[in-house]
Amino acid sequence: MRLSRHRRLLLATALTAVAAMTLSGTPALAEPPAPAPPRTSVQPGHEENLGQTMPDKILSQDQSQGVDAAGNPQVYWVTAGNDETTAMFQATDVRTGRIVFAERLPRGVNSWANTFSPAEGAVYFATTEGFFYTWTPGDQSVTAIPFPYPGEGIWRLAAAPDGIIYGGTYPGGRLFAYDPATARFTDHGQIIPGETYGRALAIDDDHVYFGTQPRAKLARFDRATGEVLQMPLPAKYANEEAVYDMTLAGGYLLARVQKVNDLLVFDTATAQLVHVVPAIDGRAISGLDPTGPYVYYRRVSQGIVQLNLETFEETPLGWRPNAIPGTWAWIDMRSPDFPGLSLSMTFYNGRVYVYNLQTKRNRYISEAGLQGAPTPLQALGVDRAGTVYSGGFLTPPGISAYNPDTKAFRLLNGGGQVEGFGQFGDDLVYGRYPGGTLYRYDPARAWSMGTNPGEPVTIGQEQDRPQALVQVGDRVVVGSVPISGRLGGALSVWKPDTGEITVRRDIVANQSVVSLAARGDLVVGGTSINGGFGIDPVASQAELFVYDVTTGTVRGSRVVVPGAQSINGLRFDDEGVLWGIADGTLFAAEVDPATGTIDVLRAENLFGLARTMYGQDRALAFRDGMIYATYGGRLWSVNPVTWKARVLAGSGAEHLVAGVDGSLYYTRGFTLYRWVFDPVAAPPACTETITGGHRGPLQVSRGVTCVIGGQVSGPVTVRPGAGLVLDGARVDGPVTATGASHLSTFDTEVRGPLSVSASTGPVRVDSSTVRGPVTLTANRGGEVTVTATTVGGPLACTANTTAPGNAGVANTVSGPRTGQCAAL
């Protein structure tokens, strides 16, 4: 986007929105500015629904296994939903593979809490939004249980041997108990001070073992007395993220610590650590083998491994299911191929694996019968060739690639949860959660995970979400958010050709780096005051900073919008002006390449206020002299001359990118959309331009008069054959045009009626306010549009050769709408 000197002057002299943002050292413009060529309107366009980008996914973050009244083994899933579809409870019969029950839940989207109570023969499950349910095999529907702790989500459930159900919550980190016999809840409070997630539970007759996140801590709760015993982990685990999974077996508590994935073995009689199994692969550890002192878990390199709890020796079984264990159970398959009890394992995408230790036979039950939901989209990118990529929440299935030429989607399997996309030459680069990994993909070659893209580069230093990626020469600069429970994101410089990476954490103390823009060797970054989930921010205001990639130094930083919690959508225009969004405020700034000084030219709250933790749903794009943005679930256009904004599309629009084909691409839920610009005639050349004030009436008798950002103190009359453009103007009186060659108003206020008749060229009334009636009569030059305009009286249209339209954007009319404009 090019910004003329005239528009730069408008930016530099219009600092009225934020008093604290005064300029320091802004260079003066000595010569008179040349007027900008006019825009007759926002180019009209329309929205296209391109469709669901990925197939429905089966994702049950937690599962449980149990039996029905006849003893048939079953698996219980709560498959995730999205903003438009709730989660779904489903039950699989393991022997037959059939789905024996399925019901869409009345409320709730995601579930990490699912347990079967053998004492009652019932399943209990809950959502992270705080909705609690139960179902007994044979019931015709699930039963909702009112949850008495508003503001708390339920993140883990476990059943005690006597049938009491215990749960862990976020953000309170509390332990609660539910007694099915009395339908009463008991709040046991925050078990470990300062820990916000109750992430892992294991229960016996006497105790509840409670593991936390965002710091890996462990406590034992006495069920009879309520006493809490803290069980310190060795010092080497002080910086680990969570005690994530726990199992009681053979007099031991087995607790997996994430992210190191060591399995800690505690003696339950003494509550002392007695053994450490290094670096298993999550998640779950089985209960005790009924035939001996064994438990089972997974190692990627070995498959399923047996651990002897008497000797702590490990033995690979030779069974290598391509799955991460979610739950384990010992079940009777009633089959000669599976004599006695077999080991049943679930996987979060709806699969079940069964293995018999005697016969070494195994069975696989696919997810084919389960119902999923579309994947919510959370990142959008584009490569140099124009392919548009979308990444979804907690995927597989992968990354979606949309080809605008063929209008076809292609699924790139195994892409994972993408936090941000970028470009490196003709290649696509992206950052993935969890683990803070970076990938490079060559779109000219076939997608093959592990080859193209190749092995990832890990940022490290507790970074989890690489959200912003921008190319600077042979490097990609990456901004990231840390793991849960940590403050301090990072700015990383990655060389994709060599894999080398340099990480600088806390480039702005205790803040994450969530947006980047590059110009030359300078990178400007925007921060969020938030760290990972589960920790409160200590900073109060997001900052812009300037980083010199060549020297590896921070050249300067400042708060650009006081009180803003996140700065996003950073983009340099063609003249080097930096644009961005700080919460609901659009700002423009200049960055001095010699000193790194940031001078704010103008900042105005155009979009209201809709905060998210990292603001990745906010973006900016430039096209034909206009600014486009997504913010607060809407697609906006902004006139950089008048700083007026209007909504093009709403209802959840997010994640904007400019396509190579000239369209704007954005998402809504799980669907990709495109804003297509309709062709329009080129604006006329101005023979006279008014940029300041004009006293008294204005008569336009020949040529084209353009009033750009100026004010006419009187009526305006356009004679036959003459043209008028009002761009960001104000007219203190009526506007009357008869036989005009062209007439357009854009972001203009007319303090009186507007009447246009017998025009021989286009008539466009766009994003304006007319404080009186609008009359359009017998115009015969083609296009006639009234778009996003407020009319303080009737809107009457008759005998126009082409019926007036509104380019898909409604008007506000206080009087009757008649004739050809009855529907506008």
Side-chain angles (χ1 to χ4, degrees), residues 43 60 67 109 146 212 352 371 416 430 475 494 499 503 645 702 773 821:
Q43 185 174 347
S60 181
V67 294
V109 174
T212 66
V352 183
Q371 297 182 54
Y430 64 93
R475 291 158 286 193
W494 169 39
V503 182
R702 62 181 182 276
C821 289

Side-chain angles (χ1 to χ4, degrees), residues 37 53-54 63 139 145 439 739 769 821:
T53 67
M54 302 180 194
Q63 316 97 49
D139 285 353
I145 302 172
Y439 294 81
T769 298
C821 289

Side-chain angles (χ1 to χ4, degrees), residues 68 85 160-161 246 332 344 378 401 524 548 571 677 754 774 798 803-804:
D68 66 11
T85 305
M246 294 194 296
D332 183 357
S344 171
Q378 66 169 40
V524 180
D548 189 319
R571 294 286 303 274
F677 292 93
L754 172 65
V774 173
T798 57

Side-chain angles (χ1 to χ4, degrees), residues 30 273 305 739:
L273 180 69
V305 175

Side-chain angles (χ1 to χ4, degrees), residues 291-313:
T291 67
Y294 310 115
V295 293
Y296 301 84
Y297 47 81
R298 175 179 182 257
R299 289 188 186 277
V300 172
S301 59
Q302 297 174 304
I304 305 304
V305 175
Q306 179 191 76
L307 177 69
N308 188 320
L309 293 178
E310 294 178 350
T311 65
F312 297 120
E313 294 180 358

